[in-house]
Amino acid sequence: MAAVRRTVFNEDHEAFRETIRAFIEAEVVPVYDEWFAAGQAPRDFYYKLAELGVFGIRVDEEYGGAGIDSYKFEAVMYEETARAGVQFGGSGVHVLLGLPYIKMLASDEQKKRFLPKFVSGEEMWALAMTEPGTGSDLAGMKTTAKLSEDGTHYVLNGSKTFITGGVHADRVIVCARTDAPSAEDRRHGISLFAVDTKSEGYSIGRKLDKLGLRTSDTAELAFVDVKVPVEDLLGEENKGFYYLGHNLASERWGIAFGAYAQAKAAVRFAQQYVTERTVFGKPVAAFQNTKFELAACQAEVDAAEAVADRALEALDAGELTPAEAASAKLFCTEVAHRVIDRCLQLHGGYGFMNEYPIARLYADNRVNRIYGGTSEIMKSIIAKDMGL
């Protein structure tokens, strides 16, 4: 019934859903255990995604994309990967995090250089904000980029951590200080650079061993006197903090929608399991506690779906405010936390086994309340918007 009344998707989105679902069954499910064991998806998988057209949906046609200015196709992918209990490696940051900065900040010359390779998968992008000592305090970053005396390049020095897509990335949007913070505004002085990962002095440190999201490559990065051509500065000098804040709404929507999709998938996994699993001579689904637990979870998922869809419509309309994005992220990630935990409980001991998708989902979901801004940061944003 809920699916019938849902209005966020049209026939084009549903046709795309069928394509993505078939692609996942053919190209991802058979090899996903191998990716899980390796701790990353193979680099050539991203070329398959590119051939499917998923990198170019929101890219203008003149650069090889479809020119569709909507996040709804990405929303379909969130739902379908969650439904299958898989991830598309670190490719999500390529589109959700990398593309908005290129579209918003790149000059015509930069777009001609970057976007065709972005669409084809020849250049995978990542975003490097977080540093070992800063966390959510981006204004405290220490990485520096100093303009050379001849004005032809910047010299980049510093380090970043928790960089999703960092192992396979060919270009990384690096946030660095080009000027000291001012007495009035400690956020002043941050700039963004599209750094070529083949540059001398650029190095990948540890590939981080994460609790969840095991198939996405996450790394530490280091920069030692890396020369970044002035042509690779994105936007204006010293305005990076503003740019980061502008794009956080879409990033937080993505986390919110992905969390809702995970919660929905968890109910599906649990319902299937309790129907098939028999204890004391009858299906687990026959017990009143099971029915009540799943009913409560379904109610929460219905609410999260409404919040996620509303935020999606606002995002597509260009009207999603930072506070609304924070509210959606806070609500959907907290719902997913509760729902997935309860659905795992219904699996009993098998819910603790990685061979069951609910176990992997439980681990994957945990970071949703941390990255993109912690739940505590979301509450602070919402409270400030309330005038508190």
Side-chain angles (χ1 to χ4, degrees), residues 1-8 260 264 298 301-303 305 309:
M1 293 294 292
V4 174
R5 291 194 296 272
R6 199 178 186 194
T7 59
V8 70
Y260 139 70
K264 182 177 181 178
Q298 183 61 53
V301 168
D302 287 345
E305 181 180 89
D309 284 357

Side-chain angles (χ1 to χ4, degrees), residues 72-323:
K72 291 183 179 180
F73 293 94
E74 289 168 50
V76 169
M77 286 190 284
Y78 280 122
E79 291 187 333
E80 290 305 307
T81 51
R83 179 184 182 277
V86 301
Q87 299 277 338
F88 279 172
S91 65
V93 300
H94 179 66
V95 176
L96 185 65
L97 301 189
L99 184 57
Y101 289 99
I102 303 174
K103 293 181 69 172
M104 179 175 70
L105 302 176
S107 65
D108 289 341
E109 182 277 329
Q110 288 175 323
K111 288 179 180 178
K112 290 176 183 177
R113 276 196 294 133
F114 296 150
L115 286 175
K117 293 180 180 179
F118 180 99
V119 172
S120 69
E122 183 179 345
E123 282 191 351
M124 296 299 295
W125 287 61
L127 176 64
M129 292 190 290
T130 305
E131 296 182 2
T134 58
S136 296
D137 181 21
L138 295 179
M141 68 176 60
K142 305 297 183 183
T143 297
T144 60
K146 297 182 178 179
L147 188 63
S148 62
E149 292 185 2
D150 61 8
T152 61
H153 63 273
Y154 292 85
V155 180
L156 182 67
N157 283 282
S159 62
K160 301 290 181 178
T161 192
F162 305 148
I163 309 307
T164 303
V167 175
H168 285 318
D170 303 288
R171 285 265 178 188
V172 176
I173 299 173
V174 177
C175 313
R177 283 209 163 275
T178 45
D179 195 9
S182 66
E184 298 79 19
D185 186 4
R186 60 192 295 267
R187 298 171 297 181
H188 168 79
I190 295 171
S191 302
L192 307 184
F193 299 90
V195 179
D196 186 341
T197 62
K198 297 186 295 296
S199 302
E200 183 178 353
Y202 180 104
S203 63
I204 300 171
R206 292 184 302 148
K207 181 169 77 69
L208 300 173
D209 185 16
K210 306 187 299 296
L211 169 67
L213 302 179
R214 301 284 298 183
T215 64
S216 68
D217 51 302
T218 303
E220 296 173 331
L221 306 178
F223 322 109
V224 179
D225 294 334
V226 176
K227 293 182 179 179
V228 182
V230 293
E231 294 81 8
D232 289 344
L233 171 70
L234 287 175
E236 298 182 37
E237 258 194 14
N238 303 324
K239 292 188 176 181
F241 198 94
Y242 164 76
Y243 300 144
L244 293 171
H246 183 274
N247 283 330
L248 276 174
S250 61
E251 178 184 353
R252 287 167 178 164
W253 163 80
I255 297 170
F257 204 95
Y260 139 70
Q262 289 176 325
K264 182 177 181 178
V267 173
R268 175 175 176 267
F269 296 145
Q271 186 171 354
Q272 181 179 7
Y273 177 82
V274 299
T275 302
E276 297 172 351
R277 173 70 168 166
T278 300
V279 296
F280 302 114
K282 58 182 178 179
V284 175
F287 293 89
Q288 187 182 64
N289 179 70
T290 304
K291 296 175 183 180
F292 281 8
E293 283 293 286
L294 283 177
C297 287
Q298 183 61 53
E300 290 217 75
V301 168
D302 287 345
E305 181 180 89
V307 169
D309 284 357
R310 185 182 68 176
L312 172 55
E313 295 285 20
L315 180 63
D316 266 12
E319 299 172 353
L320 184 64
T321 68

